[in-house]
Amino acid sequence: MSSSSAPATARVDLDGNPVAPLTICMIGAGGFIGSHLCEKLMAETSHVVYAVDVYCDKIRHLVDPAPPHLAGRISFHRLNIKNDSRLEGLIKMADLTINLAAICTPADYNTRPLDTIYSNFIDALPVVKYCSENNKRLIHFSTCEVYGKTIGSFLPTDHPLRKEPEFYVLKEDESPCIFGPIVKQRWSYACAKQLIERLIFAEGAENGLEFTIVRPFNWIGPRMDFIPGVDGPSEGVPRVLACFSNNLLRGEPLKLVDGGQSQRTFVYIKDAIEAVHLMIENPARANGQIFNVGNPNNEVTVRELAEMMTEVYANVSGEPPLDEPMIDVSSKQFYGEGYDDSDKRIPDMTIINKQLGWNPKTPLKDLLETTLTYQHKTYKEAIKRQMSQASASS
């Protein structure tokens, strides 16, 4: 590796030990999280990345071709982990594998439950197997959805215990994973993710696999998800923040599912990536751990989120909000039969703070401003063209 591509100062971990350059096999590197993690690793470390994905649009600026100063630092490997024999070779050549690959869009859990289960459990099995058999470290991305419903959600709506943190704050090593009935296909994703977590944990216990499991709580920022009909399928339904962004860009009312009463927390992608960076470079503190990565200070109901986004987008775009900026729709109308949801997803941050000293920094309004500014700049003209073409052909 050329020394000119490496940062000038030697890196040390949280215990003061030098950080040796790693070779990282990053599966799902072309997605939202992967693109930000690749940028961070290229800018601030000497690590080498094998970027594995089917698409490279979000990392094209890093790999097609790699800029001269990154020569030998990052390479793109176009493969589908379902059925490509090259995957084991890449994992063998790497020191660490990070698995980001998943179907993780709520609308798909209902309409594509088989794909959802295969993607999040069956397709992840070879990755775990190759890491375990070859004594390679694994950082596996799970989801906050493995917690399912809170204990408090089973109490009467006006019960005072619903307000007690032990009935809704989600702890990695204590909170139960409570899902809905089998007929509610929405839980296909959470069940698949929980089962692969259990398998990884068992590989660690029985075969000595070095692993870290990450449970993201709504990571938000530029390049997240997709805008239907622009860089994703026209009939696609992305996650809530991208759905609302799509409505705002098109001048449509924001659709609140079942009144938007669910509570969520949101964390800025750059804060979250800093947490992953700490996991990568502090294996002694991260191995064998499950980490919530979220921002409990950025807790809002989905309705409050819609109100904030409407206000922020009006400032960013200079366009006044609609007279009726929001409309209510049922979950059945929006997602179809078999949808179910959790009432709250509020992470406990004790373990990650103790092990890695990590705390999120960015307030919700700031991360919404950054994200909506990017989306307005990136998508507004494309959406205008698409809408004018649609009206001309109708």
Side-chain angles (χ1 to χ4, degrees):
M1 182 196 310
S2 121
S3 59
S4 62
S5 67
T9 55
R11 299 187 60 77
V12 294
D13 66 16
L14 292 172
D15 298 307
N17 303 309
V19 174
L22 299 169
T23 298
I24 300 169
C25 176
M26 191 186 303
I27 302 165
F32 164 53
I33 295 172
S35 67
H36 285 275
L37 184 53
C38 284
E39 285 181 344
K40 175 91 169 173
L41 295 174
M42 292 302 103
E44 298 183 19
T45 78
S46 301
H47 305 319
V48 172
V49 173
Y50 302 147
V52 177
D53 211 319
V54 180
Y55 306 106
C56 67
D57 296 7
K58 293 180 182 181
I59 54 170
R60 195 174 297 282
H61 59 297
L62 298 176
V63 301
D64 189 23
H69 70 287
L70 297 181
R73 293 274 322 281
I74 184 167
S75 54
F76 180 64
H77 302 264
R78 190 183 303 277
L79 61 90
N80 188 324
I81 64 169
K82 288 182 184 192
N83 50 21
D84 200 306
S85 58
R86 291 175 292 169
L87 179 63
E88 184 175 13
L90 290 169
I91 289 173
K92 277 183 174 179
M93 290 191 292
D95 304 299
L96 162 69
T97 293
I98 301 175
N99 190 6
L100 293 152
I103 287 178
C104 52
T105 308
D108 289 331
Y109 311 159
N110 264 12
T111 57
R112 300 169 58 203
L114 281 176
D115 284 344
T116 299
I117 293 165
Y118 272 78
S119 168
N120 291 292
F121 179 66
I122 303 296
D123 296 348
L125 287 174
V127 178
V128 180
K129 177 173 176 278
Y130 297 150
C131 288
S132 186
E133 289 177 351
N134 293 288
N135 297 313
K136 302 296 184 178
R137 187 176 165 221
L138 171 65
I139 296 179
H140 182 84
F141 272 68
S142 184
T143 171
C144 60
E145 295 212 15
V146 297
Y147 292 109
K149 303 187 178 205
T150 64
I151 300 171
S153 69
F154 293 91
L155 297 170
T157 309
D158 57 353
H159 199 292
L161 287 178
R162 285 185 79 127
K163 293 188 167 70
E164 295 297 319
E166 60 263 39
F167 285 84
Y168 66 84
V169 173
L170 302 170
K171 299 184 177 184
E172 300 95 325
D173 53 353
E174 292 181 24
S175 297
C177 302
I178 308 171
F179 301 146
I182 297 297
V183 294
K184 300 292 187 183
Q185 300 248 50
R186 187 253 191 281
W187 299 108
S188 59
Y189 173 67
C191 284
K193 282 291 196 182
Q194 188 203 132
L195 189 53
I196 199 70
E197 279 199 28
R198 291 192 181 277
L199 183 97
I200 291 166
F201 199 87
E203 281 285 356
E206 291 192 29
N207 296 322
L209 173 67
E210 293 189 358
F211 71 87
T212 304
I213 291 169
V214 185
R215 291 179 179 167
F217 282 71
N218 294 306
W219 297 9
I220 301 301
R223 300 197 293 269
M224 68 171 295
D225 280 6
F226 61 91
I227 298 298
V230 178
D231 57 357
S234 299
E235 69 283 359
V237 181
R239 284 168 290 189
V240 62
L241 197 135
C243 268
F244 286 170
S245 298
N246 183 44
N247 295 144
L248 291 166
L249 287 160
R250 294 177 188 277
E252 300 167 349
L254 279 60
K255 293 177 179 176
L256 296 179
V257 175
D258 295 337
Q261 294 310 303
S262 295
Q263 289 174 275
R264 297 290 182 266
T265 60
F266 298 89
V267 65
Y268 186 41
I269 183 65
K270 292 193 183 300
D271 290 350
I273 291 299
E274 182 58 38
V276 181
H277 190 187
L278 287 166
M279 295 173 207
I280 291 169
E281 296 193 342
N282 291 274
R285 291 170 175 249
N287 282 342
Q289 297 290 342
I290 301 172
F291 290 122
N292 289 339
V293 182
N295 189 340
N297 298 319
N298 286 345
E299 179 193 351
V300 285
T301 65
V302 173
R303 181 175 286 275
E304 289 167 342
L305 175 70
E307 289 167 352
M308 286 182 75
M309 288 182 68
T310 300
E311 178 189 335
V312 170
Y313 188 74
N315 292 336
V316 163
S317 67
E319 301 168 9
L322 298 174
D323 293 337
E324 291 187 33
M326 288 167 272
I327 56 172
D328 286 344
V329 297
S330 71
S331 55
K332 184 177 177 181
Q333 282 175 294
F334 196 78
Y335 290 116
E337 241 5 294
Y339 188 77
D340 198 7
D341 207 353
S342 53
D343 55 329
K344 290 189 180 201
R345 290 202 204 110
I346 317 299
D348 180 88
M349 305 304 294
T350 305
I351 293 178
I352 195 166
N353 184 259
K354 178 185 170 191
Q355 293 298 115
L356 302 177
W358 180 82
N359 279 303
K361 302 183 182 80
T362 310
L364 182 56
K365 191 153 190 182
D366 291 355
L367 75 84
L368 289 178
E369 191 169 297
T370 301
T371 304
L372 289 171
T373 299
Y374 168 85
Q375 291 182 316
H376 179 74
K377 181 180 174 185
T378 306
Y379 294 113
K380 186 63 180 178
E381 290 307 312
I383 284 177
K384 271 187 192 169
R385 285 194 299 274
Q386 185 196 53
M387 292 173 74
S388 63
Q389 287 165 1
S391 60
S393 61
S394 60

